[in-house]
Structures are given as structure tokens and as C-alpha cells.
Amino acid sequence: MATRPLTTLKTARRSRFAMRWYSWLLLVIVAAYGLAFAMHWDNRGVLWVREQFKSPAERQASVWLPDYRAVIDAKPLPGMEKDEASDLAYDPQTKTLFSVMGKNPFLVELTLQGDVLRKMPLVGWSNPEGVTVLGNGLLAIVDERSHLITIVKVDADTRELNIANFPKYDLGPSKDQNKAFEGVTWDSSNQQLMLGEERPPALFAWKGDGKVLTGDKVKLASHALDMRNLSALAIDPRTGHMLVLSADSHLLLELDKKGEQVSFIALLGGLNGLRNTIPRAEGVAMDEAGTLYMVSEPNLFYRFEKHK
């Protein structure tokens, strides 16, 4: 009976091992590329490189998110563990924040330190996901499930809001009815409401005077929205730049007035003063001093300040 030489057996084993090794390496590369593509890490890498070429003057003229650090990190909003914080807005008149809870609809007013001042049930809303301050006690609330914007009046004596008592505007159908309009912010400089569709991410503008909306919403160029979903919007009152939040991408992106990317911050543990990754960032706001605020599901509050 013929036997194979020992050297031939060793060569065959090495060959099979090499094939297995290269197969595993190829599998890892394909998986890594797929993950990077899904998370838009390639886009973040390009933007990071571009950031390195920004001059000090350009950085000074922007929000410049890389300089921000968390000073309040994952502070729980008491009694709201099952309510799902869905958005956040800053009121320059009261110097407070307003947030909507999506699962059990109510509006909550917070201090700038994330302390609860009052809770106001939202009667008639089914899934409030967005809120913005229009001024003079007026707020706009977006209901993602009903595809409605409602403009409400809130004063110091408000304890409850009933949707039947306020004007409503139909947002119309979305490409994905279950992932519809979620982000909203008031652009006072241009007298328009900015709206964000969750998936696929898209931006819209709706003209108004801060009390009444006129005409219809207009879709804007959204090529800069390199993110998996759009969770919330905010306007920096100093520069007019827009902040776009993505819970799925763990990302906050700064866009200039032309809609072009300027800077970003990754909402991951170990970065920018965060102990842990923000679980699901759903709301963002910025005040006139440039302080940044966020809320995350289920009931977490964050405050970021700029450290030069």
C-alpha cells in the first residue's frame, strides 16, 4: 500500500490552514466594511480629515462640535423611566428647556441642569416626537404617528394641554409612514419651521411668522445627511447653523447655512467626556451661550459645554 511522504502531508495541512486563514480574513474584512458602511464610518472619516484643514477663524465662526465635553452625563429624569424622552427645545425667555415624552404623551419643563419643574399631560396626542419653541409662549409639537404639527400656548399656569384647543397642520404622507417626521426646530432668522423626516433622513422647510404656518412644506437638499436616521434638529442662535441628531448613528452633525457639513461629535462612551455611549439620543437643543443639551431614551439628560 502506497503512503504519502511526510513532507507532502505537511504541505497539504499548511495549504488547508492557509486557505482557512485567508477565508476568515476575507470574512472579517467584508463584515467590517459592511458595518462601516451601515454606520457611515467612511463618511465620518472623510469629515474628520476635512476638519483638520479648518482654520482657527473657520472654527471660531462655527459651533465646532469637537470642542464640546459632557458636564452632565446621563442624569436620570425622575419618574420617566417608561415614558421615552423624545425631543428637547430651549426657551430663551424662560431660560428653561421643554421636552416631550413619546410613549406616555406629556410635555415636561426642565431647568438647564435637568431638574424637572412641571409635567403637562398632552391630551389627544398619540406619539409626540418633536418640540420646538416659537417664542412668546408658543411651541410647535410634532406627532409622528398622526402626521400633525400642533401649535400650542404654554404659560406659567399651564398644567395640561388638549390638542382640540389648538391649530393643527397636516404633514402629509411619508415614504415610511412608521418612520415619519420626528425632528423640528424654529429658524427665527428665516421665519420658517425646519422639519426632519426620520428615515430616510430628509429636511423640509415650512414658512410662517411664529404663530401661523403659510403655504406648504418644501423639501430641501439633504445630501449632507450621512446618517442612518434623523432623530432631532436644533438651530444655533449665534451662527444660524443647524444641528442634526441621529440616534442610530450615535452622531450629532453640524451643517452650515448652505446645508454643508462643518463638524460632528460621536456620542460614544470614552469620547467627549461621556462615560458610556448615549443609548438612544432623541433630542438636542442649544442656548444663546452655546451650551448644548440632549435627552436620550428612556429618561436621560445630558449637558455639554465647549472647552477650548
Side-chain angles (χ1 to χ4, degrees):
M1 179 178 178
T3 59
R4 297 172 65 183
L6 182 59
T7 54
T8 303
L9 289 173
K10 289 182 177 179
T11 301
R13 290 194 188 101
R14 282 199 300 269
S15 178
R16 286 196 297 271
F17 175 77
M19 289 179 64
R20 288 196 296 269
W21 185 82
Y22 281 114
S23 297
W24 279 110
L25 178 60
L26 179 61
L27 183 61
V28 169
I29 291 173
V30 171
Y33 178 79
L35 180 61
F37 180 81
M39 296 297 292
H40 294 271
W41 289 343
D42 49 345
N43 302 108
R44 300 286 71 76
V46 171
L47 182 53
W48 182 85
V49 171
R50 289 176 181 170
E51 284 181 344
Q52 310 315 303
F53 291 95
K54 296 288 185 180
S55 68
E58 288 175 308
R59 298 184 183 198
Q60 187 66 31
S62 70
V63 176
W64 202 250
L65 292 170
D67 286 344
Y68 279 79
R69 298 292 180 271
V71 294
I72 298 179
D73 186 1
K75 178 178 180 177
L77 299 175
M80 303 182 202
E81 295 81 1
K82 298 180 180 180
D83 296 319
E84 295 185 357
S86 294
D87 200 6
L88 194 64
Y90 171 71
D91 190 332
Q93 293 178 311
T94 61
K95 308 295 183 186
T96 59
L97 298 161
F98 288 93
S99 180
V100 285
M101 301 293 140
K103 190 171 183 179
N104 299 305
F106 64 87
L107 179 71
V108 58
E109 186 174 11
L110 306 169
T111 70
L112 302 185
Q113 302 298 322
D115 298 318
V116 177
L117 295 173
R118 56 175 166 164
K119 299 178 184 178
M120 294 159 276
L122 295 174
V123 179
W125 278 266
S126 58
N127 184 221
E129 288 286 340
V131 62
T132 190
V133 173
L134 303 175
N136 299 313
L138 295 177
L139 282 73
I141 299 175
V142 171
D143 192 308
E144 185 178 25
R145 190 172 300 149
S146 301
H147 301 269
L148 292 175
I149 302 175
T150 307
I151 296 179
V152 303
K153 176 74 173 179
V154 176
D155 58 31
D157 298 322
T158 302
R159 294 294 176 266
E160 180 181 279
L161 296 166
N162 191 312
I163 197 170
N165 299 329
F166 302 103
K168 294 169 282 293
Y169 299 85
D170 188 357
L171 286 166
S174 296
K175 186 174 182 179
D176 185 340
Q177 291 292 86
N178 296 318
K179 300 292 181 181
F181 289 93
E182 188 161 320
V184 61
T185 190
W186 174 242
D187 180 2
S188 59
S189 298
N190 296 300
Q191 290 290 285
Q192 60 186 4
L193 203 62
M194 302 299 297
L195 296 159
E197 204 167 27
E198 182 180 3
R199 189 177 291 125
L203 293 173
F204 296 77
W206 199 332
K207 289 291 185 179
D209 61 2
K211 298 177 182 178
V212 177
L213 298 179
T214 57
D216 201 352
K217 66 183 188 298
V218 176
K219 190 171 185 178
L220 306 177
S222 303
H223 62 275
L225 300 179
D226 294 319
M227 49 184 55
R228 295 178 64 193
N229 80 317
L230 189 156
S231 301
L233 300 172
I235 296 285
D236 173 23
R238 305 161 305 160
T239 64
H241 288 191
M242 184 182 295
L243 302 177
V244 186
L245 182 65
S246 173
D248 288 353
S249 296
H250 299 291
L251 174 76
L252 181 65
L253 180 66
E254 176 189 2
L255 303 180
D256 64 18
K257 293 180 180 180
K258 296 179 180 179
E260 299 297 332
Q261 297 176 348
V262 178
S263 70
F264 76 99
I265 184 174
L267 308 176
L268 303 175
L271 300 178
N272 302 96
L274 292 169
R275 291 188 298 274
N276 299 299
T277 297
I278 297 181
R280 187 162 187 83
E282 291 285 345
V284 62
M286 179 169 276
D287 65 21
E288 62 276 336
T291 304
L292 188 64
Y293 308 90
M294 289 188 206
V295 289
S296 169
E297 292 180 357
N299 65 326
L300 302 177
F301 176 84
Y302 299 80
R303 173 173 166 147
F304 293 78
E305 294 178 359
K306 196 167 187 176
H307 293 255
K308 299 179 181 179

